[in-house]
């Protein structure tokens, strides 16, 4: 699941997305007509409460789960197919993507970004967003989205919903269908590109499904050997990148270097159908299994800590709530997806 900077953000700098002229070149190719292209410019850390979150540097945290086996409670249901939850700390709201069945000759899935205001209010934040995974920028002014409608990574200004493009292609070739993403405290974005929502559009990557990085407006390939990469998250200290390999039932970890490139890859964990994920302030990882309808919880060492049941076909999770200790979970069956919640003993930043 998308994350935002925690410890590193408190000490480092944040990168915001600011407008450039339409038609500028980004990600190795021209921007789509009508898109606003945005790139990074530094600003001071701690510019807003959104950037800090509930994580305290060098704090000692207890075990995250009150019990090794837990069950989340359903808040509401009846949605099409929920994904990509992200908490907005400022207004105290959760955004999430609701994807419908494919339409038209290209069989592309429409997607609406819905907004949940606790305890029980749902409304539409953005119609026709084309989104899957969501993440909020460090200053809380924009969300980034893995958008399969344009096969891109997009940005949306929270104040008015205006859309821009962060990455549109790799070396002139369109992505498959970007699925999930995560933001480092310096503004570097990592995202996964399986082909789940490509529909009938042509394969421009010759069968490759990959993990990519966007840094200073340039797209680079992180790994082209993960079959159907899905969830992607960073450790709180930003030294480790985690990626779920959906087709291999594995979660991989990469050593992350200071310049944002990756080092050695290892197998971190095995679970059926790894989908989206999130982490808490202690570095524990919460990985959704679409196959068994559970959140699998791991310590940073890889030790299995327990599971959280959320019905069937669990897709993603995000921390939120007033104290950051509520884990929101998306799970269900097509046409009757629900939003679930469970209270835990360790907070996570709202990502």
């Amino acid at each position: 699941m998308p994350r935002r900077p925690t410890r590193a953000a408190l000490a480092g700098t944040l990168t915001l997305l600011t407008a450039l002229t339409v038609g500028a070149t980004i990600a190795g190719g021209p921007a789509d007509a009508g898109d606003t292209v945005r790139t990074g410019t530094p600003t001071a850390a701690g510019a807003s409460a959104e950037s800090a979150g509930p994580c305290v540097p060098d704090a000692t945290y207890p075990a995250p789960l009150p019990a090794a086996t837990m069950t989340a409670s359903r808040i509401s249901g009846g949605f099409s197919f929920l994904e990509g939850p992200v908490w907005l700390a400022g207004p105290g709201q959760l955004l999430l993507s609701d994807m419908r069945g494919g339409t038209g000759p290209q069989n592309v899935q429409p997607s609406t970004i819905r907004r949940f205001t606790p305890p029980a209010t749902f409304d539409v934040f953005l119609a026709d967003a084309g989104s899957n995974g969501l993440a909020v920028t460090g200053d809380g002014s924009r969300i980034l989205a893995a958008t399969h409608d344009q096969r891109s990574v997009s940005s949306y200004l929270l104040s008015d919903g205006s859309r821009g493009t962060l990455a549109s292609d790799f070396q002139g070739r369109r992505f498959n269908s970007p699925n999930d993403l995560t933001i480092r405290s310096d503004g570097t974005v990592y995202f996964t590109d399986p082909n789940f929502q490509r529909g009938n559009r042509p394969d421009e990557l010759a069968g490759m499904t990959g993990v990519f990085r966007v840094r200073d407006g340039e797209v680079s390939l992180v790994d082209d050997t993960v079959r159907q990469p899905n969830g992607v998250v960073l450790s709180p200290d930003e030294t480790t990148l985690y990626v779920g390999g959906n087709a291999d039932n594995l979660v991989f970890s990469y050593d992350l270097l200071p310049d944002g490139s990756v080092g050695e890859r290892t197998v971190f964990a095995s679970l059926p159908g790894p989908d989206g994920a999130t982490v808490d302030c202690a570095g524990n990882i919460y990985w959704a299994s679409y196959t068994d309808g559970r959140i699998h919880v791991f310590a940073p060492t890889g030790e299995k800590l327990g599971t959280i049941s959320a019905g069937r076909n669990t897709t993603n999770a995000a921390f939120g709530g007033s104290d950051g200790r509520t884990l929101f979970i998306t799970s269900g069956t097509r046409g009757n997806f629900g939003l679930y919640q469970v209270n835990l003993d360790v907070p996570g930043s709202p990502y």
Side-chain angles (χ1 to χ4, degrees), residues 74-76 87 92 116-122 328 339 341:
R74 183 161 161 150
I75 299 171
S76 185
W87 181 257
F116 167 60
T117 303
T121 301
F122 289 84
F328 293 101
L339 179 65
Q341 67 179 4

Side-chain angles (χ1 to χ4, degrees), residues 190 213 222 241 254-257 259-264:
Y190 300 88
R213 177 185 67 176
V222 173
L241 179 73
Y254 302 78
D255 293 334
L256 202 60
L257 305 179
D259 66 355
S261 61
V262 299
E264 183 181 2

Side-chain angles (χ1 to χ4, degrees), residues 18 50 117 286 309 313:
T18 55
E50 188 80 26
T117 303
Y286 300 72
S309 177
N313 306 327

Side-chain angles (χ1 to χ4, degrees), residues 242-245 248-253 266-271 274 285 287 298:
Y242 300 96
V243 174
D248 294 316
N249 298 320
L250 295 173
V251 174
F252 301 103
S253 64
T266 59
V267 173
F268 175 76
S270 174
L271 70 148
I285 298 98
W287 219 285
F298 301 92

Side-chain angles (χ1 to χ4, degrees), residues 171-351:
Q171 297 179 346
R173 295 174 293 166
R174 300 300 299 271
F175 301 114
N176 295 300
S177 55
N179 184 281
D180 212 344
L181 73 170
T182 186
I183 311 173
R184 203 168 77 153
S185 59
D186 65 354
T188 301
V189 176
Y190 300 88
F191 69 95
T192 56
D193 184 42
N195 60 25
F196 299 139
Q197 280 82 43
R198 193 177 66 213
N200 298 329
R201 294 171 291 185
D203 174 11
E204 297 190 17
L205 295 177
M208 180 184 75
T209 58
V211 184
F212 294 91
R213 177 185 67 176
V214 188
R215 181 181 174 91
D216 297 329
E218 296 295 327
V219 176
S220 58
L221 181 65
V222 173
D223 194 339
D224 62 357
T225 66
V226 181
R227 296 195 304 146
Q228 303 291 23
N230 202 313
V232 55
V233 291
L234 287 160
S235 61
D237 62 6
E238 302 186 338
T239 62
T240 305
L241 179 73
Y242 300 96
V243 174
N246 185 272
D248 294 316
N249 298 320
L250 295 173
V251 174
F252 301 103
S253 64
Y254 302 78
D255 293 334
L256 202 60
L257 305 179
D259 66 355
S261 61
V262 299
E264 183 181 2
R265 185 186 88 177
T266 59
V267 173
F268 175 76
S270 174
L271 70 148
D275 206 307
T278 189
V279 298
D280 65 23
C281 294
N284 302 305
I285 298 98
Y286 300 72
W287 219 285
S289 166
Y290 187 85
T291 302
D292 70 12
R294 293 179 172 86
I295 300 291
H296 294 251
V297 186
F298 301 92
T301 60
E303 175 190 0
K304 183 72 171 288
L305 301 179
T307 59
I308 303 168
S309 177
R312 297 174 57 189
N313 306 327
T314 301
T315 58
N316 222 319
F319 279 95
S322 58
D323 62 359
R325 286 179 166 82
T326 300
L327 186 69
F328 293 101
I329 302 168
T330 51
S331 189
T333 56
R334 291 181 183 274
N336 190 27
F337 249 73
L339 179 65
Y340 293 73
Q341 67 179 4
V342 62
N343 294 325
L344 302 178
D345 290 337
V346 175
S349 277
Y351 38 75

